[in-house]
């Protein structure tokens, strides 16, 4: 019984994800912004799309969901708190709820901060986390709706997952996140090595995600933040950072 997570690049810098049950070929699709690109990826993987998982209400994560449900008969799962601004949900979920996928089960984690209704999906059998725009490699999403207290608490929940967890996030922002992280933590040798590796990967046209949680813990400034006020301070410095 194994689960695989595959990136599906969309729009300019979005990552949607395919979760695959390697035994049966069953698929779940996370954050389908673009139905055409999504369908191409699903068909290339055998076309058995059962489930669509939505992390939050922004258009660059949901715009293709209805068309993909129609095409494959997949069920759409999303946050109960945001049901009014998501495509019609077949299952609305909140913290601690489980989502059945093939013979596996995902656990819903409320991760507000980027938006108030943002959720993440954790599959212990990966272990794999789909965290949308909550956490990025070396960064976090913009704080559009939530508070620093909420965002910090969301990061504490992610930090408590197994270190081998594969972090599957919603954007390729790693290189600009690295520039900012280095500006506030220049003596962090692991961060310097990570930033050099990211530069090398981007120059070679490679994706820098997914990443392992354990590799992010010593280098991601928001995982390193001691408390909510410092989290908020780092987030607002990033907003005005010209790197
Ligand atoms: Zn977003
Ligand atoms: Fe986004």
């Amino acid at each position: 019984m194994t689960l695989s997570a595959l990136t599906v690049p969309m729009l300019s810098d979005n990552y949607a994800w395919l979760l695959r049950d390697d035994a049966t070929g069953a698929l779940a699709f996370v954050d389908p912004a673009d139905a055409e690109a999504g369908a191409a990826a699903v068909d290339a993987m055998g076309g058995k799309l059962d489930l669509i998982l939505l992390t939050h209400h922004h258009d660059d994560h949901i715009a293709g969901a209805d068309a993909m449900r129609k095409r494959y008969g997949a069920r759409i799962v999303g946050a109960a708190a945001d049901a009014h601004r998501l495509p019609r949900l077949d299952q609305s979920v909140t913290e601690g709820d489980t989502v059945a996928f093939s013979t596996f089960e995902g656990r819903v984690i409320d991760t507000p901060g980027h938006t108030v209704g943002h959720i993440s999906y954790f599959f212990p059998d990966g272990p794999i986390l789909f965290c949308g725009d909550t956490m990025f490699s070396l960064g976090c999403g913009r704080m559009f709706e939530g508070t620093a207290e909420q965002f910090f608490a969301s990061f504490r929940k992610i930090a408590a997952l197994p270190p081998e967890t594969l972090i599957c996030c919603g954007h390729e922002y790693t290189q600009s996140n690295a520039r900012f992280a280095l500006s506030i933590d220049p003596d962090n040798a692991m961060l310097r090595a990570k930033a050099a590796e990211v530069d090398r990967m981007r120059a070679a046209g490679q994706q820098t995600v997914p990443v392992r949680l354990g590799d992010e813990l010593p280098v991601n400034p928001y995982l390193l933040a001691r408390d909510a006020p410092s989290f908020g301070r780092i987030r607002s410095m990033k907003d005005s950072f010209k790197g």
Side-chain angles (χ1 to χ4, degrees):
M1 289 208 331
T2 47
L3 279 174
S4 304
L6 307 127
T7 50
V8 186
M10 303 201 149
L11 312 179
S12 60
D13 54 31
N14 274 77
Y15 288 128
W17 295 87
L18 271 174
L19 179 67
R20 182 184 61 194
D21 175 351
D22 295 330
T24 66
L27 300 170
F29 205 103
V30 183
D31 286 354
D34 177 342
E36 289 299 309
V42 167
D43 291 345
M45 299 291 302
K48 288 168 67 177
L49 184 68
D50 293 346
L51 203 59
I52 295 167
L53 304 175
L54 305 178
T55 62
H56 68 294
H57 73 89
H58 288 155
D59 234 44
D60 64 317
H61 297 259
I62 65 171
D66 271 322
M68 288 190 72
R69 167 168 50 201
K70 213 167 154 199
R71 179 171 176 141
Y72 296 101
R75 292 182 303 119
I76 301 184
V77 182
D82 270 347
H84 60 288
R85 53 183 181 174
L86 290 170
R88 180 178 56 76
L89 299 177
D90 299 294
Q91 184 186 357
S92 21
V93 293
T94 185
E95 176 91 15
D97 284 350
T98 55
V99 177
F101 167 62
S102 207
T103 56
F104 300 93
E105 215 166 56
R107 193 173 89 229
V108 175
I109 307 175
D110 285 342
T111 51
H114 175 65
T115 67
V116 289
H118 197 300
I119 58 175
S120 298
Y121 300 88
F122 177 63
F123 288 84
D125 291 296
I128 295 168
L129 180 74
F130 298 106
C131 60
D133 290 357
T134 299
M135 175 177 157
F136 301 123
S137 180
L138 299 177
C140 75
R142 267 184 189 266
M143 203 161 77
F144 282 124
E145 298 174 6
T147 65
E149 285 70 25
Q150 288 175 320
F151 223 153
F152 178 70
S154 298
F155 264 64
R156 289 298 93 204
K157 290 186 207 173
I158 292 174
L161 295 173
E164 66 273 23
T165 300
L166 209 51
I167 302 291
C168 300
C169 60
H171 291 269
E172 177 63 63
Y173 290 160
T174 316
Q175 198 168 31
S176 66
N177 286 340
R179 279 195 279 273
F180 170 70
L182 278 173
S183 77
I184 61 167
D185 193 8
D187 298 328
N188 184 333
M190 292 181 81
L191 174 59
R192 288 214 301 269
K194 168 80 180 178
E197 170 74 358
V198 166
D199 285 343
R200 193 194 57 72
M201 290 175 84
R202 294 309 287 158
Q206 292 168 9
Q207 300 173 358
T208 63
V209 300
V211 289
R212 298 269 172 206
L213 175 61
D215 295 330
E216 283 287 307
L217 287 170
V219 291
N220 184 312
Y222 306 93
L223 286 168
L224 290 167
R226 281 185 316 282
D227 51 28
S230 34
F231 188 106
R233 215 158 28 238
I234 296 166
R235 182 59 255 183
S236 56
M237 284 168 70
K238 171 71 163 74
D239 290 341
S240 50
F241 179 69
K242 310 254 186 293

